[in-house]
Amino acid sequence: MTAGTLPLAGRRSPRRSFSRLAVWVLALCALTVVGLAAFAYQVANGLTVTGMRNTMMWGQYILFFMFFVGLSAGGLIVASAGRLFGVAAFKPITRLAVLEATVAVMLAGIFILPDLGRPERVLNILLHANRTSPMVWDISIVITYTLLSMTYVWLYTRADLARGGSPLALGTGTSPREMARDERLKSGLAWVALPSAILLHSITAWIFGLQISRTFWHSAIMAPLFIASALVSGLALVILLALLLRRFRRIEFENDLIRYLGALLAVFLVVEGFLVGSELLTAAYPGAEEAGPILRLLTGNYALLFWTEIIVGLVVPFVILAVRRTRSRPGLVALAAVLAVAGIFVHRLNLMLSGLSYVRIGLPPGVSVGTAMPASSFASFHWYVPTVVEWLVVLGVLAFGALLFTIAVLVLPLREREPHAH
Amino acid sequence: MPDKVSPIKALPPASRTYGAIGPHSERPHWGMVIDQERCTGCWSCAVICKSENDVPLGAWWNRVLTEGEAVDQPKEEHGHLGMDWLPLTCQHCENAPCVKVCPVQATYHRDDGLVMMDYERCIGCRYCMIACPYGVRVFNWGQPERPTPHETGMVAARPLGTVEKCSMCVHRIDEGQVPSCVWSCPSQARIFGDLNDPASRVSRLAHEGRVLLEESGTKPSVFYLKPRRKREL
């Protein structure tokens, strides 16, 4: 049975599962087209169709950009840690994990585009690159990391592709020499991939953390914090995808693995909580002006979001994963993983909102909003709400990502062949 | 940047003399001193800036902030009521955070210290707005709306989806004239000139003045003279 003919839903008849797959793929295509249309509408009318203004100049697109950069961490932890530290238990999900990383980092790159006021000039970043701009560093590492993860995916699936006679093997074979070369390359790549992953999250953090204009962001903890958030959300997503694909019989593993990954996720949650707490204490302790954005976060406009992040995103999943009995039930681990991913999303939302909603020279009447307003064109605070257009664009990109992932799952052998073949 | 011919040459000689930059060094570093003692909070500078540079509705390159709780609301200090203003525009920093972060070098330094924008290169990522601690950059969110159906001012309108900001009226400086806000200030609270020329008035006053957010190390080219006496109301 070649990878391409495996039915997506194991127990159902091939025909019925094919039709369900077709509906799924068509829905994703439709959503992608809707997203593209929304993007075209935005390009024609300008970013005025978004909820962003001069008082909140970055919004949903950059939020999803940093969220997806974080999600791409999962694959590399599983793949590199498995190889560098000899964790053999990860083997059944390694291919899935690197595939997840590839799709996530590609989506992160795509999310930069709709944020630009002049997306047609995006190549200027390569043509007139400014070496001192963290954004240039970040785009470089996003491109590097995308290529690296794609190489990884191919390297891990190449031999099985070759066995199935797939053209995706690019003419390579399964001779002992080629198999030995695979192992050498995988080990070598792990040594490059792990530092790249750390750089990817650090540089993304530095886009925010190096700015003296944003007191809430200007902190050395940003890079470690971004790495921690990435580990949490990336691993949680890998757990979810692994359970999902096991349901669809695309991969196989024992429940022990989920318990193991759950424990690891609990550790990552502790690190995340520790860094968030440390940052908040350091920022809030001096009081006065510096504590402004913190107080807003703890008690003000964004308090509900903040406490959601802490309780729903950190405490609840940690408790589920810390207790051995609940950790042994895959359903509950999945719930914890959903909460952890959502928690990191809200964490990044809070980071964005509290960083940007604070003006250093906050004297009245404030900053000019940027579009003609009936009463005053100035404001010092702006309650950012993404518009329908922003949601449609985001939905379109997400659907495109899901489409890529689905196709990759259908085309690539995610299950290792050797144990069954021999 | 300006693709219009400045009509400054056509101004009457008295007007041109009044607005002339005056003597300066061979390699000038343009700077400005804003005397908060003289500022009356009339917003003339902000308004003339809008018409001079054709800044669309909803956007301002130049603002007059009130040092207090609300616009034009006096604040109490040592038992007296006082009221001071802080005119705020691009500080043309020597160590400009915006120039550092711009991914495409669309915002850059001219040799005379001015922080400039290349509107044909800007990709509209708004990273410069994130980086600027003074909040003086504005983005063209939509098609510009104007109070009149036609463009106004001495410079070309900026394209949709780009960031714009004060150019220190570079089109006037290149014609030997001071920026529009300096020229129009009724109380002569703004002093413009060459910071590289130690004998210039702006250099002498800059030594007495302070810069905004000095602790951030941005090295602005705009200096402020603090209000020197208490206004009792």
Side-chain angles (χ1 to χ4, degrees):
Chain A
M1 187 161 57
T2 61
T5 56
L6 250 179
L8 195 64
R11 260 170 260 168
R12 292 170 198 285
S13 72
R15 218 171 130 187
R16 197 162 156 210
S17 63
F18 173 76
S19 70
R20 279 178 50 161
L21 176 64
V23 169
W24 168 246
V25 168
L26 281 177
L28 291 179
C29 289
L31 274 175
T32 307
V33 171
V34 169
L36 275 173
F39 178 54
Y41 175 77
Q42 179 187 291
V43 169
N45 291 279
L47 291 176
T48 186
V49 300
T50 71
M52 297 183 277
R53 288 299 180 266
N54 292 339
T55 33
M56 183 64 74
M57 60 288 263
W58 278 355
Q60 181 136 287
Y61 302 137
I62 294 291
L63 175 65
F64 271 87
F65 159 73
M66 59 169 163
F67 182 59
F68 269 85
V69 164
L71 285 179
S72 76
L76 266 285
I77 310 162
V78 173
S80 317
R83 192 145 282 272
L84 295 181
F85 308 117
V87 186
F90 287 166
K91 228 181 167 192
I93 56 160
T94 303
R95 297 176 179 189
L96 161 71
V98 287
L99 177 62
E100 180 264 352
T102 312
V103 176
V105 74
M106 283 169 83
L107 291 199
I110 292 172
F111 269 118
I112 298 176
L113 269 184
D115 183 68
L116 299 181
R118 308 288 307 195
E120 82 280 11
R121 295 181 184 170
V122 66
L123 282 181
N124 281 0
I125 297 179
L126 302 177
L127 298 175
H128 308 289
N130 180 6
R131 277 172 306 169
T132 57
S133 172
M135 198 178 278
V136 169
W137 311 342
D138 206 59
I139 285 163
S140 312
I141 193 78
V142 163
I143 293 172
T144 309
Y145 193 86
T146 308
L147 296 175
L148 214 55
S149 329
M150 287 168 98
T151 315
Y152 236 127
V153 171
W154 183 77
L155 210 52
Y156 270 93
T157 53
R158 167 209 86 70
D160 282 347
L161 285 169
R163 283 192 197 98
S166 164
L168 290 172
L170 303 179
T172 55
T174 52
S175 68
R177 245 187 75 209
E178 283 173 303
M179 297 305 284
R181 188 193 56 195
D182 269 11
E183 291 309 306
R184 278 202 314 277
L185 283 175
K186 280 181 199 170
S187 294
L189 210 56
W191 285 103
V192 188
L194 200 55
S196 307
I198 290 170
L199 262 185
L200 174 70
H201 305 297
S202 305
I203 293 177
T204 306
W206 292 332
I207 287 185
F208 306 92
L210 298 182
Q211 301 312 320
I212 43 117
S213 53
R214 310 286 155 185
T215 37
F216 189 65
W217 291 346
H218 192 231
S219 159
I221 212 166
M222 286 293 265
L225 183 60
F226 267 59
I227 293 174
S229 316
L231 293 177
V232 169
S233 61
L235 182 58
L237 186 63
V238 167
I239 292 176
L240 287 173
L241 290 174
L243 287 170
L244 190 72
L245 290 192
R246 186 169 73 166
R247 246 185 124 79
F248 288 128
R249 304 280 168 101
R250 299 298 304 184
I251 51 175
E252 277 163 16
F253 54 84
E254 300 302 318
N255 276 346
D256 282 359
L257 177 61
I258 290 300
R259 205 176 63 224
Y260 185 75
L261 292 176
L264 192 60
L265 184 56
V267 175
F268 290 160
L269 282 167
V270 172
V271 177
E272 163 84 10
F274 167 70
L275 292 178
V276 168
S278 172
E279 163 74 348
L280 285 180
L281 179 65
T282 311
Y285 188 77
E289 190 199 5
E290 266 64 41
I294 307 296
L295 292 178
R296 180 170 275 162
L297 198 57
L298 297 180
T299 59
N301 301 341
Y302 299 130
L304 187 67
L305 283 176
F306 174 74
W307 293 111
T308 307
E309 170 195 337
I310 299 298
I311 309 287
V312 181
L314 279 177
V315 177
V316 174
F318 173 74
V319 171
I320 294 176
L321 297 172
V323 179
R324 199 184 160 81
R325 241 184 49 221
T326 46
R327 188 170 71 225
S328 304
R329 293 178 55 191
L332 284 176
V333 174
L335 174 70
V338 168
L339 293 180
V341 171
I344 293 301
F345 183 80
V346 177
H347 164 67
R348 294 185 184 266
L349 178 66
N350 286 336
L351 205 69
M352 178 88 97
L353 293 177
S354 40
L356 290 183
S357 65
Y358 181 70
V359 189
R360 282 198 65 185
I361 301 183
L363 297 172
V367 178
S368 71
V369 176
T371 47
M373 306 290 277
S376 167
S377 45
F378 297 98
S380 53
F381 177 77
H382 160 160
W383 185 251
Y384 169 69
V385 180
T387 58
V388 176
V389 177
E390 278 170 287
W391 278 114
L392 290 179
V393 170
V394 164
L395 232 79
V397 179
L398 295 180
F400 177 67
L403 191 62
L404 275 184
F405 189 78
T406 308
I407 293 171
V409 167
L410 291 175
V411 172
L412 298 172
L414 292 185
R415 199 198 320 236
E416 301 215 17
R417 265 184 155 227
E418 296 94 322
H420 310 286
H422 305 294
Chain B
M1 175 190 67
D3 60 14
K4 291 179 181 177
V5 178
S6 169
I8 291 167
K9 286 192 173 109
L11 289 173
S15 175
R16 294 186 64 192
T17 312
Y18 180 71
I21 290 178
H24 56 81
S25 68
E26 281 199 6
R27 289 182 59 84
H29 180 112
W30 300 121
M32 191 185 288
V33 170
I34 298 177
D35 189 348
Q36 287 184 272
E37 173 66 38
R38 288 181 166 217
C39 178
T40 62
C42 73
W43 284 70
S44 294
C45 52
V47 172
I48 199 164
C49 169
K50 283 201 71 135
S51 60
E52 174 86 29
N53 293 296
D54 194 13
V55 183
L57 284 178
W60 296 75
W61 286 5
N62 202 349
R63 297 169 278 155
V64 181
L65 305 177
T66 304
E67 295 199 331
E69 294 295 312
V71 176
D72 292 350
Q73 179 181 298
K75 65 171 190 291
E76 194 196 326
E77 222 174 88
H78 310 300
H80 298 289
L81 283 178
M83 190 148 65
D84 296 309
W85 293 272
L86 187 82
L88 189 62
T89 179
C90 177
Q91 305 289 299
H92 294 273
C93 308
E94 234 180 286
N95 184 21
C98 56
V99 173
K100 255 189 218 167
V101 302
C102 176
V104 298
Q105 307 179 50
T107 189
Y108 59 97
H109 278 114
R110 243 171 56 142
D111 289 343
D112 54 9
L114 298 184
V115 174
M116 301 297 297
M117 274 298 301
D118 182 340
Y119 298 110
E120 295 310 314
R121 183 182 285 189
C122 173
I123 59 171
C125 69
R126 309 182 297 295
Y127 198 10
C128 53
M129 296 172 70
I130 299 277
C132 175
Y134 304 99
V136 294
R137 290 176 162 262
V138 290
F139 186 68
N140 285 290
W141 296 97
Q143 292 298 347
E145 286 183 65
R146 295 187 173 82
T148 55
H150 48 81
E151 296 179 5
T152 65
M154 306 292 183
V155 294
R158 275 69 57 191
L160 172 76
T162 58
V163 175
E164 57 179 64
K165 67 162 197 82
C166 157
S167 69
M168 202 79 116
C169 282
V170 66
H171 56 286
R172 292 176 58 94
I173 292 177
D174 289 347
E175 301 252 8
Q177 296 279 308
V178 299
S180 203
C181 55
V182 176
W183 185 87
S184 70
C185 179
S187 51
Q188 299 188 15
R190 288 173 181 259
I191 299 105
F192 176 85
D194 177 12
L195 292 168
N196 275 351
D197 177 2
S200 71
R201 188 164 163 240
V202 78
S203 292
R204 279 182 284 118
L205 289 173
H207 283 297
E208 297 168 27
R210 57 166 185 143
V211 294
L212 299 180
L213 305 179
E214 189 178 5
E215 70 280 12
S216 294
T218 50
K219 296 191 185 165
S221 302
V222 178
F223 296 80
Y224 288 82
L225 296 178
K226 276 188 176 167
R228 291 176 287 286
R229 72 183 149 76
K230 284 277 155 263
R231 288 185 187 82
E232 290 188 22
L233 300 178

